Amino acid sequence: MSALEVRGLRASFGETQVLRGVDLDVLEGTLTAVLGPSGCGKTTLLRAVAGFVAPDAGTVAVGNHVLFCPGTDVPPERRGVALVPQEGSLFPHLDVAGNVAFGLPRDQRRGSRRVAEVLELVGLAGYAKRRPDELSGGQQQRVALARALAPSPRLVLLDEPFSALDAGLRGAVRADVRTALAATGATAVLVTHDQDEALSMADTVAVMDDGVVRMHASPEQVYTGPVDLGVARFVGQLVELRAQLEGTRAHTVLGAVTALPDARHTAPVTAGGVLALRPEQLRLHPFEHGPGAPAQVETVSFHGHDATVAVVLDAPGPDSRLLVRTTGPTAAAGDRVRVTVEGPGLFFPDPA
C-alpha cells in the first residue's frame, strides 16, 4: 500500500517552473531517497508534500488522505507529516526533552513518557536535560529526528539532514537514523544529492532531473539498469565508449563487448550509440603478457577501500582516456598496461 502518492505535481516560482509533473509512490514502511543535482526540484517536492509550498497543479495524498488537489490544501500542521531540516533547527532556549516534546500535541507535552521512548530509540537516553549547544552536530540531528518521530507521523521527510556533518560522523548518523526509522516502522522520504547516501540507505531511489522523476527503482536497479544515459551519468561514475552495435555485440575501442539494450528503447540490429560501463568493470593487466587494449597509467588516486586509475589508451580518439576502479594491487603512474572489460555494458542508441 502506498503511504505517499504524488501525481502530476507542478510548481513554479515566478516564471521558473520547478516541478514539471512529478509522479511518485512511496510504499508504507519504506525509505525512499529522492536523488538529484542542485536545482532539480527535489527540495521543492519535499516542501510541497509538507505543505510549505503551494503547487500549481497535481495531487498529494498520504494514505487515504488527500492533502492537496484542486480545491483542497490541508495546512502543514494538520497533514500528519514531519519534516527534519538540514540543520536540525533546534530551539536553543529549550533542553533536549523540551525540543522533543515540542513535536507532540500541546496537551501531551508535559511529563510525556513518549519523549523518553524516542530519545532511547535514537540513542540519546540520558541526554534529556542537555542544551543544544552541549551536543555534537550528529547528536543535534538525532534530537531533530526524535522530535519528528514523537507524534508518530504518517510520513517523515528528511531534507539533506547529514549535509552539515563531517565525513567521519556522517556514516554513523546515517546508520542510526535508518535503524530508528525501521524500529518505528515509519515511512520516510530522504532528499539528497549524495549518491552513496541514497544507494546505501534507501529501499528505493527516485532520480530527479529538470523537475521530473526520471527513474524510481531499487538502488541496484538504478545503478545497474538506468533508464537513460542521464540517469547513468548521475548515479555513480561512468565510462562512456562510442560503439557500433551488431546484434548483441558492441564494437568499441576496447574490442567487442556484450551489449544490453537500455530500458526504454529497443535498438536496431545495427546502430551507432554509446556503451555505458562502470569503472569497476574495467580490468588492468600486465602489458607484456596481458590481453586487451594497450595503455599507459596517467594517475592513481588511492581511497583506502579502492583506487581509481586514469589510463590513456594508445589508440587516439575521444575515448582514449578512461577511468578504472580497482580493489587489488594497482599500477603506478607511467606504467604500461592493457585494459579489458568484464561483464556486459548498457547500449544507448544515438537519437534518431
Side-chain angles (χ1 to χ4, degrees), residues 20-283:
R20 301 172 181 270
V22 173
D23 294 325
L24 182 66
D25 286 290
V26 177
L27 295 180
E28 189 172 348
T30 65
L31 170 61
T32 290
V34 178
L35 176 67
S38 298
C40 72
K42 56 188 185 295
T43 293
T44 301
L45 170 61
L46 206 71
R47 292 178 63 80
V49 172
F52 300 126
V53 168
D56 303 323
T59 62
V60 177
V62 173
N64 296 320
H65 303 274
V66 175
L67 305 183
F68 177 85
C69 68
T72 299
D73 190 1
V74 177
E77 67 274 12
R78 292 176 50 205
R79 292 195 172 202
V81 175
L83 177 65
V84 180
Q86 288 186 22
E87 303 294 339
S89 299
L90 301 182
F91 299 109
H93 63 289
L94 297 178
D95 59 17
V96 166
N99 271 279
V100 174
F102 192 84
L104 293 167
R106 191 178 298 273
D107 60 351
Q108 298 179 25
R109 292 178 186 176
R110 188 177 298 277
S112 174
R113 293 167 54 186
R114 179 62 176 163
V115 172
E117 290 174 0
V118 292
L119 284 178
E120 183 172 359
L121 189 66
V122 300
L124 291 178
Y127 284 71
K129 298 303 180 183
R130 296 199 186 185
R131 297 278 175 173
D133 60 4
E134 298 175 318
L135 305 176
S136 68
Q139 289 168 339
Q140 290 183 29
Q141 283 302 102
R142 290 187 183 95
V143 174
L145 178 64
R147 181 175 60 192
L149 293 174
S152 301
R154 289 178 287 187
L155 181 67
V156 179
L157 308 175
L158 302 107
D159 186 8
E160 304 211 38
F162 316 113
S163 60
L165 305 179
D166 62 67
L169 185 60
R170 196 175 301 141
V173 177
R174 284 178 190 166
D176 290 345
V177 168
R178 187 70 180 96
T179 300
L181 290 171
T184 62
T187 304
V189 177
L190 165 72
V191 158
T192 181
H193 64 272
D194 187 316
Q195 301 160 17
D196 290 340
E197 190 168 283
L199 295 176
S200 64
M201 283 190 68
D203 298 300
T204 63
V205 176
V207 182
M208 281 193 72
D209 189 31
D210 196 27
V212 297
V213 174
R214 299 289 185 190
M215 182 178 187
H216 185 197
S218 70
E220 294 82 2
Q221 289 174 305
V222 169
Y223 187 77
T224 61
V227 295
D228 57 40
L229 198 52
V231 172
R233 286 169 175 162
F234 186 75
V235 182
Q237 293 175 309
L238 196 68
V239 175
E240 299 179 38
L241 301 177
R242 288 299 308 170
Q244 185 68 30
L245 184 70
E246 293 183 2
T248 60
R249 302 288 281 173
H251 297 274
T252 75
V253 70
L254 296 180
V257 181
T258 300
L260 302 176
D262 74 73
R264 296 190 308 171
H265 304 100
T266 300
V269 175
T270 301
V274 172
L275 186 73
L277 300 163
R278 297 300 182 185
E280 60 268 24
Q281 290 183 255
L282 302 188
R283 297 289 185 267

Side-chain angles (χ1 to χ4, degrees), residues 239-242 252-254 282 284 293-299 309-324 336-339:
V239 175
E240 299 179 38
L241 301 177
R242 288 299 308 170
T252 75
V253 70
L254 296 180
L282 302 188
L284 299 181
Q296 181 167 312
V297 175
E298 185 178 54
T299 60
V309 182
V311 302
V312 179
L313 300 176
D314 288 0
D319 299 334
S320 61
R321 191 176 187 276
L322 304 176
L323 197 65
V324 180
R336 297 284 290 161
V337 295
R338 292 184 183 273
V339 186

